[in-house]
Amino acid sequence: MQNDSVFTKVGVDGIRRPSTGIKVLLFMLPWMFVVLGLLLAFVSYTYVSNAEQTTATVVSFAELLDGQTPVLSYSYEDNTYATPLGTVTRVENFPVGSEINILLDPGVPENIRLTGLAYSYGFAALIVVVGLALLMVSQIIWIILRRRVARIS
């Protein structure tokens, strides 16, 4: 009889089976990505459903650690704000003086996002797709591992 390993364990009946650690790794990790992506999508949905759309003007650029971000000037409820977008962008995509549509949080007008499906839900969708891809791969690995362990026994 062979000893237990990280990947397999020998049951009381002497049959080798995939270990609990492998089960957790193969099933929980993909679902964690899927759940995280869905939570991010929910947060984005609540932001977009409560946000107000307005037009902002690019007034300058602020330096970030790894690039530049446009500083946007916009008005909301008789106040004018100048807020950096916060994400690294290419300078040529946002020339100074150009107008762009943004979403802003009425409770915190400095909390802004660009409009568009990709800007609102893109990262959440990417995380969900990664989770689903990992889930498919883990299912294939699980089938192979179960058949291999059954043959070795």
Side-chain angles (χ1 to χ4, degrees):
M1 183 182 303
Q2 297 178 356
N3 294 335
D4 291 350
S5 72
V6 176
F7 302 109
T8 60
K9 64 179 179 180
V10 179
V12 292
D13 55 1
I15 297 174
R16 291 177 47 174
R17 293 184 177 85
S19 69
T20 305
I22 288 296
K23 291 176 186 175
V24 168
L25 182 67
L26 289 177
F27 292 113
M28 293 304 292
L29 185 66
W31 282 112
M32 287 171 41
F33 272 90
V34 171
V35 169
L36 176 65
L38 292 174
L39 285 173
L40 289 172
F42 177 74
V43 168
S44 291
Y45 172 76
T46 57
Y47 179 88
V48 170
S49 63
N50 295 325
E52 293 189 23
Q53 186 169 347
T54 188
T55 302
T57 305
V58 179
V59 292
S60 65
F61 284 87
E63 291 293 326
L64 296 176
L65 291 175
D66 50 354
Q68 293 182 323
T69 186
V71 177
L72 305 175
S73 176
Y74 54 96
S75 296
Y76 179 70
E77 292 186 348
D78 300 327
N79 293 322
T80 301
Y81 300 91
T83 306
L85 184 58
T87 57
V88 175
T89 58
R90 299 179 77 184
V91 175
E92 54 270 5
N93 289 347
F94 298 96
V96 173
S98 64
E99 292 189 349
I100 57 173
N101 292 326
I102 60 169
L103 296 173
L104 63 89
D105 183 354
V108 184
E110 294 86 5
N111 186 4
I112 61 172
R113 291 187 188 179
L114 295 175
T115 59
L117 189 63
Y119 294 112
S120 298
Y121 299 103
F123 186 68
L126 176 68
I127 297 296
V128 169
V129 167
V130 167
L132 292 175
L134 285 174
L135 190 62
M136 289 182 358
V137 169
S138 70
Q139 294 299 314
I140 292 168
I141 291 172
W142 179 253
I143 291 169
I144 292 170
L145 189 60
R146 287 204 54 194
R147 288 183 180 171
R148 183 168 181 245
V149 169
R151 268 189 279 149
I152 293 172
S153 299

